[in-house]
Amino acid sequence: LYHLQPSNEMLQRSNFSLTAQITTKGMMKVYVQGSNYLPDDRFRSDYNIELTSFKTEFWGVGYDNADNDVNNSSFTRNQIQATGNFLGRLANNLYLGPSVYYSLYYADKRDNIVNQLLGDNPRHTSTLGIGLKLRYDSRDFALNPSRGIYLDLEQRAMPRCLGNYSTFTATELEMKAFAPLWKGGVLGGELHSLINYGHDVPWTEFAKVGSIYRMRGYYEARYTDRNIGEGQLELRQHIWGRSGMVAWAGFANVFRDTHTWQFKQTLPNYGIGYRCSFKPGVNIRLDLGFSRNGPGFIFSMGEAF
């Protein structure tokens, strides 16, 4: 945490975080994230870089494929993904500005089932997009809010002229709200959607269920399709000293288009977690999430949302 204008006590502290996940089976993930709040809060800038390399399981695209254990297959996923934006203040808590998105994806060491499931889809893709982001943010502290509202709407375009596999666009919406309930208790809620438009969207850019932020406990990307709608509600309670607990419930639904969306394919999620205050406002978290296919642990820095 650091200040870009120490004389302004009302300005939120900027932040930078580096998170690494490494396992004995060869999985490696590195996250670099940060937010800068410029003097007088006239401009804001966010960035996120993820480096991933691990042998991942794969069930194919779409709910029906993912729900069929016979499709369980594997390949080595190597990916670099980066996003960034620079927002200028339009009014109190309201910001607008350009954004950029880049992803380089390699699906290597594929088994025969993966090749059958992918068919003619590309095994390697490079995606570069530019967009426009509109944000309303009244949270008291971005890393661990206790009150406020966050709305983020981004429209991205990935034209073929930038070297993309095909021309397509994407609309992403995040909505979050936080409110104190009683001493040490905070209720937080989030809704998220990603909608891809285009006749030939590469499968590597499809929406995915499961991450360290949403649908905790699901195997990442077991359920994947062109679009997603998901949400979660979490109760956070300070217990004593540096310790706290959380409990949450959530849902997600991935679908190809509005004609194929089915309520019965909505995936449930719930879990509990422990929080240890690393420094004021910044927690280390350990979450145990339950999915349709079993439990899963998440260990990370900061809150999920």
Side-chain angles (χ1 to χ4, degrees):
L1 301 176
Y2 55 94
H3 258 301
L4 292 180
Q5 190 184 17
S7 60
N8 186 352
E9 296 182 356
M10 300 299 296
L11 182 67
Q12 285 202 53
R13 288 173 292 174
S14 299
N15 61 81
F16 166 84
S17 66
L18 171 64
T19 304
Q21 296 175 302
I22 301 173
T23 73
T24 55
K25 290 189 175 182
M27 169 188 168
M28 184 275 292
K29 281 190 174 186
V30 178
Y31 303 86
V32 178
Q33 298 172 300
S35 298
N36 286 314
Y37 299 87
L38 279 70
D40 298 322
D41 212 7
R42 290 174 296 180
F43 298 96
R44 295 182 176 185
S45 178
D46 305 314
Y47 56 90
N48 181 72
I49 302 172
E50 297 182 15
L51 308 177
T52 303
S53 179
F54 68 97
K55 183 178 180 180
T56 181
E57 296 183 62
F58 184 68
W59 286 262
V61 173
Y63 177 89
D64 292 334
N65 281 331
D67 222 35
N68 187 352
D69 290 333
V70 175
N71 291 334
N72 191 358
S73 50
S74 65
F75 66 87
T76 299
R77 171 185 165 189
N78 299 305
Q79 185 178 20
I80 300 174
Q81 188 177 73
T83 61
N85 60 69
F86 189 81
L87 310 178
R89 187 174 63 197
L90 298 178
N92 188 31
N93 298 326
L94 185 64
Y95 296 83
L96 178 70
S99 63
V100 62
Y101 171 88
Y102 176 73
S103 176
L104 180 65
Y105 196 109
Y106 286 85
D108 292 332
K109 299 179 181 179
R110 304 174 302 274
D111 64 22
N112 292 331
I113 300 179
V114 170
N115 288 324
Q116 294 174 12
L117 291 171
L118 287 179
D120 295 331
N121 288 295
R123 276 54 172 170
H124 312 314
T125 62
S126 175
T127 304
L128 176 61
I130 53 176
L132 188 66
K133 183 182 286 282
L134 179 67
R135 176 180 296 170
Y136 177 85
D137 187 3
S138 64
R139 295 172 298 174
D140 53 352
F141 182 46
L143 292 181
N144 192 359
S146 61
R147 65 179 72 245
I149 295 175
Y150 178 90
L151 300 174
D152 191 274
L153 176 63
E154 181 179 13
Q155 181 63 48
R156 294 191 297 266
M158 281 65 66
R160 190 187 293 270
C161 64
L162 293 181
N164 295 305
Y165 170 76
S166 62
T167 295
F168 65 100
T169 61
T171 302
E172 188 165 16
L173 175 65
E174 290 182 73
M175 299 186 295
K176 307 175 186 179
F178 305 89
L181 297 179
W182 47 72
K183 184 178 180 180
V186 174
L187 183 65
E190 180 191 44
L191 293 174
H192 170 257
S193 68
L194 173 63
I195 307 297
N196 285 294
Y197 307 91
H199 296 292
D200 204 10
V201 181
W203 68 276
T204 55
E205 295 302 315
F206 282 5
K208 303 171 180 64
V209 173
S211 72
I212 63 174
Y213 309 109
R214 303 184 181 105
M215 300 300 288
R216 288 162 276 173
Y218 275 84
Y219 190 90
E220 183 178 356
R222 171 165 183 167
Y223 295 88
T224 180
D225 214 324
R226 287 171 60 108
N227 311 305
I228 191 172
E230 56 188 338
Q232 55 185 331
L233 191 67
E234 182 171 279
L235 175 63
R236 302 170 181 173
Q237 179 65 53
H238 174 256
I239 303 298
W240 178 78
R242 293 178 177 267
S243 295
M245 297 290 293
V246 306
W248 80 87
F251 71 91
N253 192 305
V254 288
F255 54 97
R256 180 169 182 81
D257 51 48
T258 55
H259 301 292
T260 59
W261 183 91
Q262 296 184 53
F263 178 79
K264 66 180 181 180
Q265 294 180 352
T266 299
L267 301 168
N269 180 226
Y270 59 95
I272 57 173
Y274 169 74
R275 300 292 182 267
C276 178
S277 179
F278 175 70
K279 60 171 60 179
V282 181
N283 291 331
I284 295 174
R285 62 183 171 100
L286 177 62
D287 289 332
L288 172 61
F290 295 89
S291 73
R292 173 168 291 179
N293 313 108
F297 280 101
I298 297 292
F299 178 73
S300 187
M301 183 78 72
E303 293 299 333
F305 65 96

